[in-house]
Amino acid sequence: STRNWLIAIICTCTIGGILTSVLGLGVGAMMGWSLGSAESIASVIVVGFACDYVVHLANAYTASPSDKRDIRMQDGISQLGVSVLAGAVTTCFSGCFLALCILTFFIKFSFLVCWTIICSFFWAVLFFPAAMFAFGPENHRNELAFWRLWK
């Protein structure tokens, strides 16, 4: 969605970190669950939640008119930071209501949704901007050349 292979690699590393935090740290270490059928079904949704905030910030970085990476990331966070925070709060709050259910699947799903949102938010606003400040493309470098036809 960013038409830039370097941003895509940084996004993929961030999403990998989120999934490792959720499934390794959250499911395995914190909760002590084995990867059963309930966790496998819910993990498909976890992948979707993990991509959301990172891709939004990456698109805002790409849309910035500046050529300098630090200003582009600042623009992205200032434009979408409040929206990402609001989305994280409302999704985590709605996931808390599932913890009140009787069925074990919904209790596990509640933990997975809330923990995914927490991890995704912190990876998206801490790791991703730091990686973009350090390695992000400047002057529209690393863009995929064939996408320039549609600009």
Side-chain angles (χ1 to χ4, degrees), residues 18-145:
I18 295 166
L19 294 176
T20 303
S21 298
V22 171
L23 297 176
L25 181 64
V27 172
M30 288 173 52
M31 301 305 283
W33 297 333
S34 61
L35 197 59
S37 60
E39 294 83 11
S40 297
I41 292 169
S43 67
V44 174
I45 297 168
V46 166
V47 173
F49 279 142
C51 296
D52 195 24
Y53 305 137
V54 176
V55 173
H56 280 79
L57 290 176
N59 285 332
Y61 179 92
T62 304
S64 175
S66 177
D67 287 335
K68 297 185 74 170
R69 67 173 68 119
D70 55 344
I71 296 173
R72 291 177 86 178
M73 196 66 245
Q74 287 174 359
D75 288 346
I77 290 175
S78 65
Q79 289 173 3
L80 287 180
V82 173
S83 299
V84 167
L85 176 64
V89 168
T90 56
T91 306
C92 195
F93 185 67
S94 66
C96 291
F97 285 103
L98 285 173
L100 303 173
C101 293
I102 296 171
L103 296 173
T104 305
F105 174 79
F106 291 118
I107 295 170
K108 287 183 176 184
F109 190 72
S110 169
F111 171 77
L112 282 171
V113 166
C114 291
W115 186 243
T116 301
I117 294 302
I118 290 167
C119 289
S120 182
F121 176 76
F122 284 113
W123 275 88
V125 299
L126 296 176
F127 176 80
F128 182 72
M132 294 304 285
F133 275 128
F135 308 111
E138 291 184 322
N139 301 323
H140 303 285
R141 290 185 188 143
N142 308 109
E143 287 185 354
L144 299 174

Side-chain angles (χ1 to χ4, degrees), residues 3 5 142-150:
R3 298 186 303 251
W5 63 268
N142 308 109
E143 287 185 354
L144 299 174
F146 61 87
W147 283 105
R148 291 185 188 149
L149 300 173
W150 287 282

